[in-house]
Amino acid sequence: MKEPRILFVHAHPDDESIGTGATMAKYAAEGAHVCLVTCTLGEEGEVIPDELRHLAPDKEDRLGEYRIGELAEACAALGVVDHRYLGGPGRWRDSGMMGTAANDHPRSFWRADVDVAGAELAKVVREVRPHVIVTYDERGNYGHPDHIQAHRVASRASSWRPTRRTRTVRSRGRPRSSTRTRRRAPSWRGRSR
């Protein structure tokens, strides 16, 4: 097999280290192409050190800018050299926890059109051509709206993979050509969040 290619889709900076950091580091160290896509800047994250409290969303609202640097350091420590922000840095904003006012922010990732965000991720899928895509389960692992949305977006993007031409052979008769496609992901529009 050529170089294995793995695409990780995470909602916020630090999710990669908390959830899949060991896996990313292992495969990067073994020579795999590890690509990380982060969907938001994590602007609504909890600020623990007192000296950084001024960055919080209810103060200067600059936590996302700070987390760009944190994520770059994490990628370097994990050996990940291919990192991208979905749609570019800051395209979508951290939605905060379920039921908070941050869910209603105009750039909230939770409110992102799945087709639009999926198309952005599909560009990465077409370029990287991963053998495996790793993201959250349909519940976002623990119900975080951005994790749920990352699952939806990754599912949509993976459903848009190019079709493959294959040859099939019937038990009798001549081979025939067919096109095999992946099943289109279900639409989540109209479903309550």
Side-chain angles (χ1 to χ4, degrees):
M1 176 195 269
K2 293 182 180 177
E3 171 189 62
R5 296 178 303 276
I6 308 171
L7 173 62
F8 291 83
V9 180
H10 281 291
H12 317 104
D14 80 8
D15 292 341
E16 78 294 328
S17 296
I18 294 168
T20 58
T23 304
M24 295 171 78
K26 173 193 184 319
Y27 284 103
E30 291 178 0
H33 178 111
V34 176
C35 178
L36 169 63
V37 173
T38 308
C39 300
T40 75
L41 299 180
E43 298 92 340
E44 296 291 326
E46 183 179 6
V47 181
I48 296 173
D50 283 335
E51 63 272 11
L52 299 179
R53 292 237 185 258
H54 65 281
L55 301 174
D58 62 340
K59 305 238 186 294
E60 296 175 12
D61 196 18
R62 294 187 314 121
L63 183 59
E65 296 169 35
Y66 183 81
R67 295 188 83 186
I68 289 172
E70 285 184 329
L71 184 53
E73 290 176 18
C75 285
L78 296 171
V80 175
V81 295
D82 185 0
H83 171 256
R84 304 143 191 242
Y85 288 98
L86 185 64
R91 168 84 182 267
W92 287 285
R93 184 179 171 91
D94 182 347
S95 304
M97 297 304 288
M98 191 66 81
T100 64
N103 297 170
D104 297 324
H105 189 284
R107 288 189 303 109
S108 162
F109 187 55
W110 178 239
R111 293 175 48 140
D113 182 302
V114 174
D115 286 333
V116 172
E120 289 292 335
L121 186 57
K123 292 176 191 174
V124 178
V125 169
R126 282 191 296 274
E127 179 187 335
V128 174
R129 298 177 54 233
H131 296 103
V132 178
I133 297 174
V134 179
T135 194
Y136 313 96
D137 66 15
E138 65 278 357
R139 294 178 323 260
N141 292 6
Y142 65 93
H144 191 294
D146 291 337
H147 294 199
I148 295 168
Q149 190 73 326
H151 167 82
R152 293 173 177 172
V153 168
S155 295
R156 181 61 49 90
S158 68
S159 74
W160 287 333
R161 281 188 159 178
T163 59
R164 294 181 292 156
R165 294 293 290 171
T166 60
R167 302 287 284 173
T168 58
V169 179
R170 297 184 200 183
S171 58
R172 291 189 197 135
R174 299 170 21 152
R176 63 181 176 90
S177 262
S178 69
T179 302
R180 298 178 62 189
T181 61
R182 298 185 74 159
R183 183 175 63 85
R184 180 172 167 81
S187 173
W188 292 279
R189 290 188 184 191
R191 190 182 279 189
S192 64
R193 296 182 189 186

